[in-house]
Amino acid sequence: MSESLYSWGRYPDKPQRGHAASWRDDLPDLLAEVSKSHTSTLPYGNGRSYGDSCLSTSNHVLQMRSLDRFIKVDWQLGTVCAEAGVTLAEILTLAIPQGWFLSVTPGTQFATLGGAIANDVHGKNHHLRGTFGRHVLGFGLLRDREVWTCSATENAHLYGATIGGLGLTGVITWACIQLIPICASQINSTVVRFDNLKEFFSLSAELDHRHEYSVAWIDCLAKGESIGRGVFIVGDHAGYGALNVDKRNKLNVPLIPPLSLINNLSLRAFNHTYWHAHPSQRKQVRSGYEPFFYPLDRILQWNRVYGPRGFQQYQCVIPDSAAEVAMREILGAIADAGQGSFLAVLKRCGDIESPGLLSFPLPGTSLALDFPQKQGLLPLFLYLDRIVHEAGGRLYPAKDAHMSGVDFRRAYPAWEQLEALRDPSLNSHFWKRVTE
Ligand SMILES: Cc1cc2nc3c(=O)[nH]c(=O)nc-3n(C[C@H](O)[C@H](O)[C@H](O)COP(=O)(O)OP(=O)(O)OC[C@H]3O[C@@H](n4cnc5c(N)ncnc54)[C@H](O)[C@@H]3O)c2cc1C
């Protein structure tokens, strides 16, 4: 029997049994069979979602990774059509030597094409290019035993509902995306540390619009005057240089340790050292694209360091009008609780609309950070939820394992349109939790 599948946070503990098709033509029978035998199913990409949105209510999923063939590429126009199980890393391996890069990439290259569309993922250039869905030219959607071609002009209702549609409208079998041209695979970045949240907002206002990419790392344990201190990074594709695919060997966490290796002591030491290691004056750095976009991908299965109980990520976005005040409150509460992890990421999102019905970003500031799963986490999350709610913000379903149905339905009023278009044979633990 194949190994059980989990979400990236390994929480909630709902192991999934995978059912794979070798060929696209086999998918209609497989979908019908699995959903009939187990009452429901769900497409599963590469399990890089943290919470329960990639977990089927029946605990039987359609494993899409085996559908990993390229269908058509056009290096004049920079378009790629591929099966939905192809990963972003596989696309980059092909596209970079030809002088093309993903228009939008999340912080992992191990997401699949189907998964990136279904969560309408965003990256460090949201302020310039919006979400992944904006660069999707079209895709095939299997539902009712037929594959529907969907684009902005063909079956547009299914196109909009499937982008950010959490795998509920059907199975994406293939997709075509638009890439952006690059001259080199390196990234030129400017790095500077900042002392508090106010400085983050002024750096962001000054620098974001001048650079393709912008992101900040935050020390979530800093308190008082130092709340929100961190390291600000902006970057652009280099104007000259080689077009090299990064092929450095990856490290691996081979086993799940019996206890989480992340605790307050290790966290405090890491955050302190990291912040001090960065320059107080702006510094120019040239690096490969992997360390810039995907620092965590270097360590395969790093999620295991959180031990058998796993972890949750909390990602919210707060509208511009309330962002600074609400972020101060949120970061203050996290620091007071002494919880949180190495990975607090702060980023301003822009106002480019997504074609997706249930897309997460809105014009404002997004915060994402990981928390080891333990008692006492839920009360903290509920406290943070109240701040997010009052500030008019929302949480990201791709990362979520706790949001209340009331909060979800208020924050995503288009959920009923998605529910109306949901393929009844597909359902996730997330969707059941927030809509029933
Ligand atoms: C280290 C790390 C960094 C990350 N950084 C970011 C970031 O910067 N921005 C961001 O937005 N996200 C980020 N993510 C989240 C990740 O990019 C998304 O969760 C992505 O959707 C995962 O893709 P997947 O292929 O693993 O899909 P899964 O996690 O397996 O599934 C995700 C959703 O897609 C659906 N799905 C998968 N395949 C198909 C298909 N063929 N047809 C229809 N539906 C399908 C599933 O049903 C599920 O609802 C990060 C994750 C990690 C681990």
Side-chain angles (χ1 to χ4, degrees), residues 31-48:
L31 171 58
E33 245 170 66
V34 178
S35 57
K36 194 165 163 225
S37 317
H38 304 288
T39 65
S40 73
T41 185
L42 191 74
Y44 179 98
N46 210 12
R48 258 49 185 190

Side-chain angles (χ1 to χ4, degrees), residues 42-43 45-49 53 106-107 111-112 115 118-119 121-122 166-167 172 396:
L42 191 74
N46 210 12
R48 258 49 185 190
S49 301
S53 65
T112 63
N119 275 328
V121 297
H122 58 279
L166 302 167
I172 302 165
Y396 189 9

Side-chain angles (χ1 to χ4, degrees), residues 4-20:
S4 295
L5 302 167
Y6 293 86
S7 66
W8 192 244
R10 299 181 76 90
Y11 178 88
D13 186 18
K14 295 188 190 296
Q16 305 282 300
R17 177 85 191 280
H19 302 263

Side-chain angles (χ1 to χ4, degrees), residues 52-332:
D52 53 2
S53 65
C54 62
L55 308 179
S56 161
T57 42
S58 67
N59 300 327
H60 285 262
V61 290
L62 300 182
Q63 217 173 338
M64 298 301 295
R65 251 314 262 142
S66 51
L67 296 177
D68 62 352
R69 298 170 192 92
F70 285 88
I71 300 168
K72 190 175 166 203
V73 291
D74 183 329
W75 299 131
Q76 297 300 316
L77 296 173
T79 55
V80 167
C81 300
E83 290 183 337
V86 161
T87 61
L88 303 183
E90 288 160 350
I91 296 175
L92 289 175
T93 300
L94 207 65
I96 287 174
Q98 304 295 331
W100 296 93
F101 202 82
L102 295 160
S103 301
V104 166
T105 178
T108 176
Q109 56 187 325
F110 299 133
T112 63
L113 196 46
I117 296 172
N119 275 328
D120 196 16
V121 297
H122 58 279
K124 297 178 174 63
N125 59 355
H126 185 269
H127 58 290
L128 276 189
R129 301 201 191 258
T131 60
F132 194 89
R134 282 199 79 235
H135 310 277
V136 174
L137 304 170
F139 52 79
L141 186 71
L142 168 65
R143 54 185 275 146
D144 309 326
R145 295 194 73 93
E146 257 186 74
V147 178
W148 304 82
T149 300
C150 305
S151 70
T153 52
E154 197 175 352
N155 295 311
H157 63 301
L158 287 176
Y159 176 76
T162 302
I163 294 175
L166 302 167
L168 298 165
T169 56
V171 180
I172 302 165
T173 59
W174 57 268
C176 293
I177 56 168
Q178 177 66 55
L179 305 174
I180 51 168
I182 52 169
C183 301
S185 51
Q186 290 82 30
I187 303 288
N188 287 334
S189 51
T190 303
V191 182
V192 64
R193 73 180 192 221
F194 53 92
D195 292 329
N196 52 48
L197 205 55
K198 199 165 192 55
E199 276 186 35
F200 163 80
F201 281 99
S202 62
L203 280 166
S204 175
E206 179 198 339
L207 295 174
D208 281 4
H209 63 281
R210 293 200 222 147
H211 297 277
E212 174 83 30
Y213 303 106
S214 171
V215 71
W217 169 86
I218 299 290
D219 176 358
C220 63
L221 294 179
K223 289 189 176 181
E225 294 290 289
S226 299
I227 278 191
R229 77 173 179 184
V231 177
F232 198 84
I233 304 164
V234 283
D236 298 281
H237 293 282
Y240 65 91
L243 286 164
N244 288 337
V245 175
D246 214 326
K247 289 215 174 87
R248 277 183 311 163
N249 283 340
K250 308 276 187 282
L251 310 169
N252 194 7
V253 179
L255 291 172
I256 299 180
L259 287 175
S260 169
L261 303 180
I262 312 300
N263 56 44
N264 204 282
L265 262 183
S266 57
L267 182 64
R268 208 169 278 283
F270 176 88
N271 283 3
H272 184 84
T273 313
Y274 186 91
W275 188 77
H276 281 280
H278 281 82
S280 55
Q281 302 296 322
R282 294 178 194 188
K283 187 176 167 195
Q284 316 296 321
V285 179
R286 187 176 168 98
S287 67
Y289 68 92
E290 272 203 353
F292 184 81
F293 290 109
Y294 314 117
L296 289 168
D297 284 352
R298 183 84 208 285
I299 304 170
L300 299 173
Q301 311 199 74
W302 61 259
N303 54 341
R304 289 178 166 177
V305 301
Y306 286 93
R309 298 177 74 176
F311 68 109
Q312 293 193 55
Q313 184 167 105
Y314 193 93
Q315 182 166 5
C316 62
V317 60
I318 308 284
D320 280 328
S321 55
E324 195 170 333
V325 175
M327 280 302 169
R328 185 178 307 284
E329 242 187 290
I330 289 172
L331 287 168

Side-chain angles (χ1 to χ4, degrees), residues 9 107 254 279 283 303 385 416 433:
K283 187 176 167 195
N303 54 341
D385 289 352
E416 280 172 306
R433 177 163 60 79

